[in-house]
């Protein structure tokens, strides 16, 4: 955990212990790094450009990645995006069709907390902002392995706290998936 959280709303410190907040999180996948070559340019454009559908050029590589990875999931929960809601919803619907599992809902911003925090802050501030911002509405994930979807990850805190919210709701293993890795 980042330092500088003592006395803050989120009471965590030191090394993240096994069996605690991230216990259900399994290794995840990203279609491409945002600073690489190859698919990176198309992924970067998708997650930083105008909101819309998953570009056609990324659909076959995404399908191939899912086929090779074959995450053993029974449900999908997306992380609702304030900046690219169409992209995330289209991604969730497409992955749902490919894997044959339902989208149960989305982790979403709390009312009044829609805007994501700048990535130009230190890790402790970023973690606190993400913890303040996200909530999981009532979805039935009890005992189910879940695929947790987001458009991109930069610090990893959104996925970490998303997995924690799912664990708190009784989910089994959580498998993160993003288009881009920053």
């Amino acid at each position: 955990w980042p330092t500088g959280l003592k006395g803050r709303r989120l009471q965590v410190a030191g090394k993240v212990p096994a069996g605690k907040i991230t216990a259900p999180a399994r290794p995840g996948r990203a279609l491409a790094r945002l600073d690489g070559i190859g698919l990176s340019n198309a992924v970067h454009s998708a997650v930083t450009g105008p909101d819309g559908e998953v570009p056609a050029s990324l659909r076959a590589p995404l399908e191939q990645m899912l086929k090779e990875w074959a995450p053993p999931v029974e449900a999908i929960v997306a992380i609702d995006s304030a900046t690219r809601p169409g992209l995330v919803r289209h991604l969730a619907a497409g992955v749902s069709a490919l894997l044959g599992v339902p989208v149960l809902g989305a982790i979403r911003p709390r009312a009044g907390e829609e805007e994501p925090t700048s990535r130009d802050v230190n890790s402790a501030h970023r973690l606190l902002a993400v913890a303040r911002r996200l909530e999981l509405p009532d979805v039935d994930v009890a005992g189910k392995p879940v695929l947790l979807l987001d458009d991109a990850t930069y610090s990893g805190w959104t996925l970490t706290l998303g997995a924690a919210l799912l664990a708190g709701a009784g989910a089994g293993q959580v498998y993160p998936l993003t288009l881009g890795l920053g």
Side-chain angles (χ1 to χ4, degrees):
W1 295 107
T3 59
L5 295 173
K6 188 173 182 169
R8 301 290 185 112
R9 178 176 169 252
L10 194 60
Q11 296 296 316
V12 292
K15 185 176 178 183
V16 178
K20 294 291 182 191
I21 196 168
T22 58
R26 306 299 305 155
R29 299 289 187 277
L31 190 56
R33 290 193 54 85
L34 295 175
D35 60 356
I37 58 174
L39 287 177
S40 293
N41 290 330
V43 170
H44 187 271
S45 293
V47 302
T48 61
D51 189 24
E53 296 184 347
V54 174
S57 63
L58 298 179
R59 294 176 193 171
L62 181 61
E63 181 176 5
Q64 182 64 34
M65 181 183 70
L66 287 168
K67 188 181 289 184
E68 290 171 6
W69 180 27
V73 297
E74 296 175 16
I76 295 170
V77 173
I79 297 176
D80 218 1
S81 173
T83 56
R84 286 179 189 65
L87 177 66
V88 172
R89 289 183 188 122
H90 189 253
L91 174 63
V95 170
S96 172
L98 288 170
L99 295 179
V101 299
V103 177
L104 296 183
I107 294 171
R108 62 180 182 224
R110 286 187 172 88
E113 296 286 342
E114 288 82 13
E115 287 301 314
T117 302
S118 168
R119 291 184 296 275
D120 296 332
V121 296
N122 71 32
S123 195
H125 285 113
R126 177 76 178 146
L127 173 58
L128 289 168
V130 171
R132 180 178 60 247
R133 185 174 171 265
L134 298 180
E135 68 180 0
L136 177 65
D138 189 25
V139 294
D140 182 15
V141 294
K144 295 179 177 118
V146 176
L147 189 67
L148 178 60
L149 294 181
D150 202 356
D151 58 344
T153 185
Y154 298 93
S155 67
W157 291 126
T158 301
L159 292 172
T160 299
L161 293 177
L165 288 170
L166 290 167
Q173 301 290 316
V174 177
Y175 296 84
L177 171 65
T178 67
L179 290 175
L181 173 63

